[in-house]
Amino acid sequence: MATIVMLLLLVLGGADGSHIVGGRDAAPQSRPYMASLQIRGQHNCGGALVREDFVPTAAHCQIRGQYTVVLGADSLTANEATKQEFRAVRSIPHPDYTANENDIMLLKLSSRASLTQAVQLIGLKSGRMRAGGQCLTAGWGDVGDNGTSPERLQEVNVTILPQRTCSRRWRGVPITRTMVCGVGAGSIQGFCSGDSGGPLVCEGGAAGVVSFSGRRCGNPRTPDVYTRVSSFSDWIADVLRNN
């Protein structure tokens, strides 16, 4: 158990989470649901806009202070007229979150976003995800597994793995039914630090939340692990209904 905990600490590094390696520039405004969660102007985690005032992210992205949530961005450093900024006035992690289990959190924004060409909602995908299915994840995380931040939003294709295959590759780390695993098409391709909390998008809906990966980003020997959104649909609906 101690070995697993140490591995996850090395993987997650607190709230710093994960970056895209081996990906590509996303076309401007092609992922209008993407959110950048920032601390004092620095990107820390990703998220996706599911209601004008709510963004799901990873529970391990929770901080003691208050996030600034940036929507409508392509470059986080350029002065883009499409950007909208909000304070996260409430952080609501799943009540059963522990280490890498139930790694999902909802952020309530200080006001409702204005929907534009660059800022749009994404629906939550329900139902089963088949092994071999083709999905996509995006983020502003590390592109070189060395602390190198991208100039623009990055994206990478993801192939869903069978649960048994993922469990076998991760060995002693429990891969539960509330998780889904994926690998990139290349030998080293996937998410990395700073991508945590971003969406796994399958068939146009948010099917997962970036949770944890191995010591080396994008290594198929330790497949990328996402929180399975459909496992938490009732909890998400309850939080949105009561807020």
mmCIF file of all heavy atoms in Angstrom, residues 36-74:
data_model
loop_
_atom_site.group_PDB
_atom_site.id
_atom_site.type_symbol
_atom_site.label_atom_id
_atom_site.label_comp_id
_atom_site.label_asym_id
_atom_site.label_seq_id
_atom_site.Cartn_x
_atom_site.Cartn_y
_atom_site.Cartn_z
ATOM 1 N N SER A 36 -9.154 26.819 -18.168
ATOM 2 C CA SER A 36 -7.851 26.844 -17.503
ATOM 3 C C SER A 36 -8.052 27.315 -16.070
ATOM 4 O O SER A 36 -8.571 28.408 -15.838
ATOM 5 C CB SER A 36 -6.888 27.795 -18.232
ATOM 6 O OG SER A 36 -5.713 28.010 -17.458
ATOM 7 N N LEU A 37 -7.643 26.496 -15.105
ATOM 8 C CA LEU A 37 -7.744 26.857 -13.690
ATOM 9 C C LEU A 37 -6.401 27.429 -13.267
ATOM 10 O O LEU A 37 -5.374 26.746 -13.341
ATOM 11 C CB LEU A 37 -8.090 25.634 -12.843
ATOM 12 C CG LEU A 37 -9.261 24.766 -13.330
ATOM 13 C CD1 LEU A 37 -9.582 23.681 -12.314
ATOM 14 C CD2 LEU A 37 -10.478 25.600 -13.649
ATOM 15 N N GLN A 38 -6.420 28.684 -12.842
ATOM 16 C CA GLN A 38 -5.164 29.401 -12.617
ATOM 17 C C GLN A 38 -5.033 29.907 -11.184
ATOM 18 O O GLN A 38 -6.029 30.254 -10.536
ATOM 19 C CB GLN A 38 -5.060 30.573 -13.590
ATOM 20 C CG GLN A 38 -5.105 30.138 -15.045
ATOM 21 C CD GLN A 38 -4.879 31.276 -16.021
ATOM 22 O OE1 GLN A 38 -4.610 32.408 -15.627
ATOM 23 N NE2 GLN A 38 -4.975 30.977 -17.306
ATOM 24 N N ILE A 39 -3.782 29.936 -10.723
ATOM 25 C CA ILE A 39 -3.426 30.488 -9.416
ATOM 26 C C ILE A 39 -2.456 31.634 -9.665
ATOM 27 O O ILE A 39 -1.379 31.432 -10.228
ATOM 28 C CB ILE A 39 -2.753 29.438 -8.521
ATOM 29 C CG1 ILE A 39 -3.640 28.188 -8.384
ATOM 30 C CG2 ILE A 39 -2.442 30.025 -7.145
ATOM 31 C CD1 ILE A 39 -2.929 27.030 -7.709
ATOM 32 N N ARG A 40 -2.857 32.843 -9.293
ATOM 33 C CA ARG A 40 -2.024 34.044 -9.497
ATOM 34 C C ARG A 40 -1.507 34.118 -10.937
ATOM 35 O O ARG A 40 -0.331 34.382 -11.179
ATOM 36 C CB ARG A 40 -0.871 34.073 -8.488
ATOM 37 C CG ARG A 40 -1.343 34.234 -7.044
ATOM 38 C CD ARG A 40 -0.172 34.332 -6.088
ATOM 39 N NE ARG A 40 0.541 33.063 -6.002
ATOM 40 C CZ ARG A 40 0.185 32.055 -5.224
ATOM 41 N NH1 ARG A 40 -0.891 32.159 -4.448
ATOM 42 N NH2 ARG A 40 0.880 30.941 -5.192
ATOM 43 N N GLY A 41 -2.394 33.858 -11.891
ATOM 44 C CA GLY A 41 -2.056 33.993 -13.303
ATOM 45 C C GLY A 41 -1.332 32.814 -13.910
ATOM 46 O O GLY A 41 -1.021 32.841 -15.110
ATOM 47 N N GLN A 42 -1.066 31.763 -13.128
ATOM 48 C CA GLN A 42 -0.357 30.593 -13.638
ATOM 49 C C GLN A 42 -1.312 29.408 -13.761
ATOM 50 O O GLN A 42 -2.038 29.073 -12.820
ATOM 51 C CB GLN A 42 0.802 30.226 -12.698
ATOM 52 C CG GLN A 42 1.873 31.282 -12.591
ATOM 53 C CD GLN A 42 2.562 31.545 -13.925
ATOM 54 O OE1 GLN A 42 2.981 30.602 -14.618
ATOM 55 N NE2 GLN A 42 2.674 32.811 -14.298
ATOM 56 N N HIS A 43 -1.289 28.772 -14.927
ATOM 57 C CA HIS A 43 -2.131 27.603 -15.164
ATOM 58 C C HIS A 43 -1.749 26.467 -14.228
ATOM 59 O O HIS A 43 -0.572 26.181 -14.029
ATOM 60 C CB HIS A 43 -1.985 27.143 -16.622
ATOM 61 C CG HIS A 43 -2.712 25.873 -16.921
ATOM 62 N ND1 HIS A 43 -4.068 25.821 -17.164
ATOM 63 C CD2 HIS A 43 -2.263 24.589 -16.999
ATOM 64 C CE1 HIS A 43 -4.421 24.567 -17.401
ATOM 65 N NE2 HIS A 43 -3.352 23.805 -17.293
ATOM 66 N N ASN A 44 -2.766 25.803 -13.648
ATOM 67 C CA ASN A 44 -2.497 24.704 -12.728
ATOM 68 C C ASN A 44 -3.211 23.421 -13.134
ATOM 69 O O ASN A 44 -2.621 22.350 -13.073
ATOM 70 C CB ASN A 44 -2.932 25.090 -11.305
ATOM 71 C CG ASN A 44 -2.438 24.105 -10.272
ATOM 72 O OD1 ASN A 44 -1.245 23.893 -10.142
ATOM 73 N ND2 ASN A 44 -3.361 23.498 -9.534
ATOM 74 N N CYS A 45 -4.468 23.521 -13.544
ATOM 75 C CA CYS A 45 -5.259 22.354 -13.926
ATOM 76 C C CYS A 45 -6.222 22.739 -15.038
ATOM 77 O O CYS A 45 -6.413 23.926 -15.330
ATOM 78 C CB CYS A 45 -6.060 21.828 -12.726
ATOM 79 S SG CYS A 45 -5.104 20.804 -11.568
ATOM 80 N N GLY A 46 -6.836 21.737 -15.626
ATOM 81 C CA GLY A 46 -7.830 21.963 -16.666
ATOM 82 C C GLY A 46 -9.228 21.652 -16.172
ATOM 83 O O GLY A 46 -9.433 21.177 -15.053
ATOM 84 N N GLY A 47 -10.200 21.908 -17.020
ATOM 85 C CA GLY A 47 -11.593 21.619 -16.719
ATOM 86 C C GLY A 47 -12.416 21.809 -17.976
ATOM 87 O O GLY A 47 -11.877 22.105 -19.052
ATOM 88 N N ALA A 48 -13.725 21.638 -17.851
ATOM 89 C CA ALA A 48 -14.625 21.788 -18.994
ATOM 90 C C ALA A 48 -15.918 22.441 -18.526
ATOM 91 O O ALA A 48 -16.402 22.147 -17.426
ATOM 92 C CB ALA A 48 -14.916 20.433 -19.634
ATOM 93 N N LEU A 49 -16.476 23.293 -19.341
ATOM 94 C CA LEU A 49 -17.689 24.026 -18.994
ATOM 95 C C LEU A 49 -18.918 23.159 -19.310
ATOM 96 O O LEU A 49 -19.208 22.893 -20.470
ATOM 97 C CB LEU A 49 -17.747 25.331 -19.781
ATOM 98 C CG LEU A 49 -18.828 26.346 -19.363
ATOM 99 C CD1 LEU A 49 -18.528 26.909 -17.974
ATOM 100 C CD2 LEU A 49 -18.914 27.477 -20.381
ATOM 101 N N VAL A 50 -19.635 22.725 -18.261
ATOM 102 C CA VAL A 50 -20.817 21.889 -18.480
ATOM 103 C C VAL A 50 -22.115 22.644 -18.218
ATOM 104 O O VAL A 50 -23.190 22.205 -18.623
ATOM 105 C CB VAL A 50 -20.770 20.613 -17.610
ATOM 106 C CG1 VAL A 50 -19.572 19.756 -17.998
ATOM 107 C CG2 VAL A 50 -20.746 20.942 -16.130
ATOM 108 N N ARG A 51 -22.037 23.747 -17.509
ATOM 109 C CA ARG A 51 -23.136 24.689 -17.350
ATOM 110 C C ARG A 51 -22.500 26.065 -17.320
ATOM 111 O O ARG A 51 -21.303 26.174 -17.042
ATOM 112 C CB ARG A 51 -23.919 24.397 -16.056
ATOM 113 C CG ARG A 51 -25.310 25.024 -16.049
ATOM 114 C CD ARG A 51 -26.126 24.588 -14.842
ATOM 115 N NE ARG A 51 -25.789 25.371 -13.644
ATOM 116 C CZ ARG A 51 -26.381 25.213 -12.468
ATOM 117 N NH1 ARG A 51 -27.316 24.288 -12.321
ATOM 118 N NH2 ARG A 51 -26.028 25.958 -11.435
ATOM 119 N N GLU A 52 -23.243 27.094 -17.620
ATOM 120 C CA GLU A 52 -22.634 28.425 -17.724
ATOM 121 C C GLU A 52 -21.869 28.827 -16.459
ATOM 122 O O GLU A 52 -20.975 29.673 -16.527
ATOM 123 C CB GLU A 52 -23.706 29.478 -18.020
ATOM 124 C CG GLU A 52 -24.236 29.442 -19.444
ATOM 125 C CD GLU A 52 -25.424 28.532 -19.590
ATOM 126 O OE1 GLU A 52 -25.613 27.628 -18.734
ATOM 127 O OE2 GLU A 52 -26.173 28.701 -20.574
ATOM 128 N N ASP A 53 -22.195 28.209 -15.331
ATOM 129 C CA ASP A 53 -21.525 28.570 -14.075
ATOM 130 C C ASP A 53 -20.879 27.384 -13.365
ATOM 131 O O ASP A 53 -20.580 27.460 -12.174
ATOM 132 C CB ASP A 53 -22.518 29.260 -13.123
ATOM 133 C CG ASP A 53 -23.739 28.400 -12.819
ATOM 134 O OD1 ASP A 53 -23.959 27.385 -13.529
ATOM 135 O OD2 ASP A 53 -24.482 28.736 -11.881
ATOM 136 N N PHE A 54 -20.645 26.265 -14.087
ATOM 137 C CA PHE A 54 -20.044 25.095 -13.440
ATOM 138 C C PHE A 54 -19.007 24.428 -14.325
ATOM 139 O O PHE A 54 -19.230 24.235 -15.523
ATOM 140 C CB PHE A 54 -21.103 24.062 -13.040
ATOM 141 C CG PHE A 54 -21.492 24.154 -11.591
ATOM 142 C CD1 PHE A 54 -22.618 24.865 -11.219
ATOM 143 C CD2 PHE A 54 -20.719 23.549 -10.601
ATOM 144 C CE1 PHE A 54 -22.982 24.966 -9.887
ATOM 145 C CE2 PHE A 54 -21.077 23.648 -9.269
ATOM 146 C CZ PHE A 54 -22.204 24.348 -8.902
ATOM 147 N N VAL A 55 -17.880 24.062 -13.710
ATOM 148 C CA VAL A 55 -16.772 23.384 -14.391
ATOM 149 C C VAL A 55 -16.364 22.166 -13.576
ATOM 150 O O VAL A 55 -15.958 22.308 -12.418
ATOM 151 C CB VAL A 55 -15.562 24.331 -14.541
ATOM 152 C CG1 VAL A 55 -14.318 23.575 -14.981
ATOM 153 C CG2 VAL A 55 -15.874 25.455 -15.534
ATOM 154 N N PRO A 56 -16.454 20.950 -14.121
ATOM 155 C CA PRO A 56 -15.881 19.796 -13.445
ATOM 156 C C PRO A 56 -14.377 19.722 -13.676
ATOM 157 O O PRO A 56 -13.885 20.094 -14.753
ATOM 158 C CB PRO A 56 -16.599 18.607 -14.090
ATOM 159 C CG PRO A 56 -17.033 19.099 -15.421
ATOM 160 C CD PRO A 56 -17.213 20.575 -15.320
ATOM 161 N N THR A 57 -13.659 19.236 -12.675
ATOM 162 C CA THR A 57 -12.222 19.047 -12.760
ATOM 163 C C THR A 57 -11.875 17.867 -11.858
ATOM 164 O O THR A 57 -12.755 17.127 -11.414
ATOM 165 C CB THR A 57 -11.474 20.345 -12.372
ATOM 166 O OG1 THR A 57 -10.068 20.161 -12.597
ATOM 167 C CG2 THR A 57 -11.719 20.726 -10.923
ATOM 168 N N ALA A 58 -10.592 17.660 -11.585
ATOM 169 C CA ALA A 58 -10.169 16.566 -10.705
ATOM 170 C C ALA A 58 -10.165 17.035 -9.249
ATOM 171 O O ALA A 58 -9.797 18.172 -8.960
ATOM 172 C CB ALA A 58 -8.776 16.092 -11.104
ATOM 173 N N ALA A 59 -10.550 16.151 -8.348
ATOM 174 C CA ALA A 59 -10.557 16.502 -6.923
ATOM 175 C C ALA A 59 -9.147 16.764 -6.407
ATOM 176 O O ALA A 59 -8.955 17.565 -5.490
ATOM 177 C CB ALA A 59 -11.229 15.393 -6.110
ATOM 178 N N HIS A 60 -8.144 16.120 -7.020
ATOM 179 C CA HIS A 60 -6.771 16.360 -6.537
ATOM 180 C C HIS A 60 -6.259 17.736 -6.952
ATOM 181 O O HIS A 60 -5.186 18.156 -6.513
ATOM 182 C CB HIS A 60 -5.811 15.252 -7.000
ATOM 183 C CG HIS A 60 -5.398 15.315 -8.434
ATOM 184 N ND1 HIS A 60 -5.942 14.514 -9.414
ATOM 185 C CD2 HIS A 60 -4.469 16.075 -9.066
ATOM 186 C CE1 HIS A 60 -5.372 14.781 -10.568
ATOM 187 N NE2 HIS A 60 -4.472 15.731 -10.385
ATOM 188 N N CYS A 61 -7.045 18.473 -7.755
ATOM 189 C CA CYS A 61 -6.696 19.851 -8.109
ATOM 190 C C CYS A 61 -7.154 20.851 -7.047
ATOM 191 O O CYS A 61 -6.904 22.055 -7.187
ATOM 192 C CB CYS A 61 -7.337 20.228 -9.448
ATOM 193 S SG CYS A 61 -6.579 19.433 -10.887
ATOM 194 N N GLN A 62 -7.823 20.388 -6.006
ATOM 195 C CA GLN A 62 -8.312 21.312 -4.979
ATOM 196 C C GLN A 62 -7.161 22.051 -4.310
ATOM 197 O O GLN A 62 -6.115 21.468 -4.021
ATOM 198 C CB GLN A 62 -9.115 20.561 -3.921
ATOM 199 C CG GLN A 62 -9.830 21.480 -2.943
ATOM 200 C CD GLN A 62 -10.769 20.714 -2.023
ATOM 201 O OE1 GLN A 62 -10.601 19.521 -1.785
ATOM 202 N NE2 GLN A 62 -11.775 21.404 -1.511
ATOM 203 N N ILE A 63 -7.348 23.355 -4.091
ATOM 204 C CA ILE A 63 -6.337 24.190 -3.450
ATOM 205 C C ILE A 63 -6.955 24.911 -2.262
ATOM 206 O O ILE A 63 -8.178 24.961 -2.111
ATOM 207 C CB ILE A 63 -5.756 25.230 -4.442
ATOM 208 C CG1 ILE A 63 -6.880 26.129 -4.982
ATOM 209 C CG2 ILE A 63 -4.986 24.542 -5.558
ATOM 210 C CD1 ILE A 63 -6.391 27.289 -5.834
ATOM 211 N N ARG A 64 -6.117 25.478 -1.410
ATOM 212 C CA ARG A 64 -6.611 26.201 -0.242
ATOM 213 C C ARG A 64 -7.158 27.570 -0.622
ATOM 214 O O ARG A 64 -8.051 28.082 0.026
ATOM 215 C CB ARG A 64 -5.488 26.354 0.781
ATOM 216 C CG ARG A 64 -5.078 25.031 1.416
ATOM 217 C CD ARG A 64 -3.948 25.219 2.412
ATOM 218 N NE ARG A 64 -3.537 23.951 3.001
ATOM 219 C CZ ARG A 64 -2.496 23.807 3.797
ATOM 220 N NH1 ARG A 64 -1.736 24.871 4.103
ATOM 221 N NH2 ARG A 64 -2.189 22.625 4.300
ATOM 222 N N GLY A 65 -6.614 28.148 -1.666
ATOM 223 C CA GLY A 65 -7.062 29.465 -2.096
ATOM 224 C C GLY A 65 -8.216 29.373 -3.074
ATOM 225 O O GLY A 65 -9.038 28.450 -3.019
ATOM 226 N N GLN A 66 -8.267 30.321 -3.975
ATOM 227 C CA GLN A 66 -9.377 30.433 -4.926
ATOM 228 C C GLN A 66 -8.833 30.449 -6.345
ATOM 229 O O GLN A 66 -7.918 31.219 -6.659
ATOM 230 C CB GLN A 66 -10.164 31.713 -4.640
ATOM 231 C CG GLN A 66 -11.476 31.832 -5.364
ATOM 232 C CD GLN A 66 -12.212 33.087 -4.932
ATOM 233 O OE1 GLN A 66 -11.774 34.202 -5.190
ATOM 234 N NE2 GLN A 66 -13.338 32.914 -4.254
ATOM 235 N N TYR A 67 -9.393 29.614 -7.191
ATOM 236 C CA TYR A 67 -8.981 29.588 -8.589
ATOM 237 C C TYR A 67 -9.568 30.761 -9.362
ATOM 238 O O TYR A 67 -10.681 31.219 -9.091
ATOM 239 C CB TYR A 67 -9.473 28.309 -9.262
ATOM 240 C CG TYR A 67 -8.554 27.123 -9.152
ATOM 241 C CD1 TYR A 67 -8.982 25.936 -8.554
ATOM 242 C CD2 TYR A 67 -7.268 27.167 -9.666
ATOM 243 C CE1 TYR A 67 -8.157 24.835 -8.477
ATOM 244 C CE2 TYR A 67 -6.421 26.068 -9.590
ATOM 245 C CZ TYR A 67 -6.874 24.908 -8.997
ATOM 246 O OH TYR A 67 -6.050 23.817 -8.924
ATOM 247 N N THR A 68 -8.799 31.225 -10.359
ATOM 248 C CA THR A 68 -9.348 32.020 -11.450
ATOM 249 C C THR A 68 -9.588 31.049 -12.595
ATOM 250 O O THR A 68 -8.699 30.267 -12.953
ATOM 251 C CB THR A 68 -8.369 33.123 -11.898
ATOM 252 O OG1 THR A 68 -8.184 34.039 -10.824
ATOM 253 C CG2 THR A 68 -8.911 33.866 -13.110
ATOM 254 N N VAL A 69 -10.795 31.059 -13.145
ATOM 255 C CA VAL A 69 -11.157 30.149 -14.234
ATOM 256 C C VAL A 69 -11.216 30.958 -15.527
ATOM 257 O O VAL A 69 -11.970 31.929 -15.633
ATOM 258 C CB VAL A 69 -12.509 29.470 -13.964
ATOM 259 C CG1 VAL A 69 -12.883 28.548 -15.112
ATOM 260 C CG2 VAL A 69 -12.453 28.688 -12.651
ATOM 261 N N VAL A 70 -10.397 30.558 -16.498
ATOM 262 C CA VAL A 70 -10.311 31.256 -17.782
ATOM 263 C C VAL A 70 -10.957 30.401 -18.859
ATOM 264 O O VAL A 70 -10.593 29.237 -19.055
ATOM 265 C CB VAL A 70 -8.848 31.569 -18.148
ATOM 266 C CG1 VAL A 70 -8.773 32.269 -19.510
ATOM 267 C CG2 VAL A 70 -8.193 32.423 -17.069
ATOM 268 N N LEU A 71 -11.917 30.988 -19.558
ATOM 269 C CA LEU A 71 -12.601 30.324 -20.665
ATOM 270 C C LEU A 71 -12.279 31.053 -21.968
ATOM 271 O O LEU A 71 -11.853 32.206 -21.953
ATOM 272 C CB LEU A 71 -14.113 30.345 -20.439
ATOM 273 C CG LEU A 71 -14.641 29.754 -19.136
ATOM 274 C CD1 LEU A 71 -16.144 30.012 -19.016
ATOM 275 C CD2 LEU A 71 -14.356 28.270 -19.051
ATOM 276 N N GLY A 72 -12.486 30.388 -23.085
ATOM 277 C CA GLY A 72 -12.336 31.024 -24.394
ATOM 278 C C GLY A 72 -10.911 31.277 -24.818
ATOM 279 O O GLY A 72 -10.663 32.111 -25.688
ATOM 280 N N ALA A 73 -9.956 30.550 -24.222
ATOM 281 C CA ALA A 73 -8.541 30.789 -24.518
ATOM 282 C C ALA A 73 -8.003 29.780 -25.525
ATOM 283 O O ALA A 73 -8.441 28.633 -25.573
ATOM 284 C CB ALA A 73 -7.721 30.734 -23.243
ATOM 285 N N ASP A 74 -7.051 30.207 -26.300
ATOM 286 C CA ASP A 74 -6.203 29.317 -27.103
ATOM 287 C C ASP A 74 -4.803 29.382 -26.507
ATOM 288 O O ASP A 74 -4.302 28.416 -25.956
ATOM 289 C CB ASP A 74 -6.208 29.746 -28.565
ATOM 290 C CG ASP A 74 -5.284 28.890 -29.409
ATOM 291 O OD1 ASP A 74 -5.128 27.695 -29.097
ATOM 292 O OD2 ASP A 74 -4.699 29.407 -30.378
#
